[in-house]
């Protein structure tokens, strides 16, 4: 075993031994560390300076109690967290997730992933993630507001435009960002617009931020397919999720001429042989905050199936997981390959398990890994910070053009490093090598911190 491989194994053992219950964190650390041996080989000083030991330990973890009152007057107690993983490249940056499954394991995996994703954007942002086990489903606007106010009453002391800049993620969209921002402004008594991104357009938000993750995913996938001479036009696309990322992935896939036949939520999936009617999905999800099964009430040709895993049994050319982590396991990967899938683009964070990724790669499926393919959202968040700093708002076209350029650059760098150091189509290795090199160099330059 080379020195570098031994070093990597030692760190993976350390992670497992320190936090044996944090399986998802261990998976994401494994995914990155298993691909960066060429960089470690070229830089023995990283091991001497314990760079990996530092990378796998968050700079700071904040955990707090969130007390609020529901509409019946009952007191509710939730957990709040912020994991500030790495600030080498800039202020901590990353979303807030409100979902009952939120725990330290999930937030550490997301924060670790965010460090490298943010490095790929080439923009000056460190990595963080936060959230709560609060479930916004079925809550009134007033309950969501009271929860957000209580959450921010603790979080405000740990964030700021040059300190840590949260945004949305699962369960946190424009409504929640609005309530969080209002409370921050009230407590600080100042208009720190750049403390949160994903704000509405009418108060310091960026045009195209709402669309950015889904659009960026399609820009990345298009770059990957173009390089192989494959056209998106008329390709059959299967999308999971029906939230922010899924909706705008569907929109851009359709704009490129593809036929998207599915979307889903945590209860089940819809298959529409005529192609998903996106306006209907937006109406159900954005306006009514309803369930995806309502789609078939107005679209009798479509089918609704309980259980979200079934979405991967629908035959397709391209699969775009845009719901949540670990939604494609080895079994689903095998089904997709057996049905002839050509490309997989990850809109969600770590939607494919490690064995599913390995299976796709063994079977020569073009694979666009999450930290590269879904970086468009945080990239436009960084552009929102830039606009807030100059107190100007750029046009939709300007932001969208920059997003296209950023996604192209991420693809080009990942491809270049895949060709130089791994299998030429291994964008997992290519993206990890690019991101790790950037973060490691800067950490070395900043000394022992
Ligand atoms: P939303 O809350 O807008 O939508 C999430 C969607 O996924 C909903 O349809 C939801 O269904 C479904 N979902 C959530 N949890 C599960 C689950 N455990 N099993 C099955 N389906 C589930 O979130 P986003 O669209 O913002 O986020 C989706 C993914 O994209 C996440 O992995 C997120 O981390 C990632 N991401 C988001 C970015 C952003 O800018 N928003 C940027 C980059 C990545 P239901 O309503 O039933 O819960
Ligand atoms: O996973 C992600 O990149 C996000 N949820 C977006 C984070 C951000 O700060 O815009």
């Amino acid at each position: 075993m080379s020195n570098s491989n031994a070093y990597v194994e030692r760190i993976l053992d350390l992670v497992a031994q320190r936090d044996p219950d944090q399986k998802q964190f261990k998976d994401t650390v494994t995914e990155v560390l298993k691909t960066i041996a060429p960089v470690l080989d070229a830089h023995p000083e990283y091991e001497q300076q314990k760079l990996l030991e530092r990378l796998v330990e968050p700079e700071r973890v904040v955990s707090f109690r969130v007390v609020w009152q529901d509409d019946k007057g009952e007191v509710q107690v939730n957990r709040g967290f912020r994991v500030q993983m790495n600030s080498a490249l800039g202020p901590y940056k990353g979303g807030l997730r409100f979902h009952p499954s939120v725990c330290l394991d999930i937030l550490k995996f997301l924060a670790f992933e965010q460090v490298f994703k943010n490095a790929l954007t080439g923009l000056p942002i460190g990595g963080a993630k936060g959230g709560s086990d609060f479930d916004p489903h079925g809550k009134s606007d007033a309950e969501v507001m009271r929860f957000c106010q209580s959450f921010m009453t603790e979080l405000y002391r740990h964030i700021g435009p040059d300190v840590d800049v949260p945004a949305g993620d699962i369960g946190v969209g424009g409504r929640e960002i609005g309530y969080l921002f209002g409370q921050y402004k009230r407590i600080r008594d100042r208009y720190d617009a750049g403390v949160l991104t994903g704000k509405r357009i009418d108060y310091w938000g960026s045009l195209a931020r709402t669309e950015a993750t889904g659009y960026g995913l399609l820009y990345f996938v298009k770059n990957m397919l173009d390089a192989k001479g494959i056209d998106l036009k008329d390709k059959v696309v299967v999308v999971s999720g029906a939230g922010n990322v899924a909706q705008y992935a569907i929109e851009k896939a359709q704009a490129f001429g593809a036929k998207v036949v599915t979307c889903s939520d945590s209860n089940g999936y819809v298959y529409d042989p005529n192609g998903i009617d996106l306006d209907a999905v937006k109406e159900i999800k954005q306006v009514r905050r309803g369930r995806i099964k309502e789609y078939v009430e107005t679209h009798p040709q479509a089918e609704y199936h309980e259980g979200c895993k079934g979405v991967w049994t629908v035959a397709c050319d391209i699969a775009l997981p845009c719901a949540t982590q670990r939604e494609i396991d080895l079994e689903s990967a095998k089904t997709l390959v057996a049905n002839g899938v050509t490309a997989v683009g990850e809109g969600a964070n770590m939607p494919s398990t490690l064995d599913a990724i390995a299976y796709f790669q063994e079977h020569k499926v073009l694979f666009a890994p999450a930290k590269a393919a879904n970086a468009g959202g945080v990239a436009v968040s960084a552009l929102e910070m830039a606009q807030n700093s100059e107190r100007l708002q750029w046009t939709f076209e300007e932001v969208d053009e920059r997003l296209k350029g950023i996604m192209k650059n991420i693809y080009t760098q990942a491809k270049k490093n895949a060709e130089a150091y791994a299998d030429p189509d291994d964008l997992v290795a290519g993206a990890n090598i690019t991101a790790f090199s950037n973060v490691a160099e800067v950490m070395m330059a900043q000394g022992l911190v």
Side-chain angles (χ1 to χ4, degrees), residues 239-243 246 262-270 285 292 307-308 311 323 327:
V239 171
S240 67
T262 65
C263 60
S264 66
D265 61 21
S266 53
N267 295 116
Y269 76 95
V270 164
K285 287 291 172 185
I292 203 63
C308 28
V311 72
E327 47 174 325

Side-chain angles (χ1 to χ4, degrees), residues 98-117:
F98 292 170
H99 191 273
S101 64
V102 163
C103 60
L104 211 46
D105 178 21
I106 289 184
L107 294 180
K108 276 179 70 182
F109 117 60
L110 289 164
F112 189 79
E113 188 76 356
Q114 198 81 46
V115 172
F116 299 99
K117 180 194 311 197

Side-chain angles (χ1 to χ4, degrees), residues 93-95 114 117 129 165 167-169 197 209 349 374 377-378 381:
K93 181 85 195 87
Q114 198 81 46
K117 180 194 311 197
K129 204 84 188 190
V165 182
D169 193 79
T197 60
R209 174 61 187 90
N349 284 307
N374 75 30
V378 76
S381 276

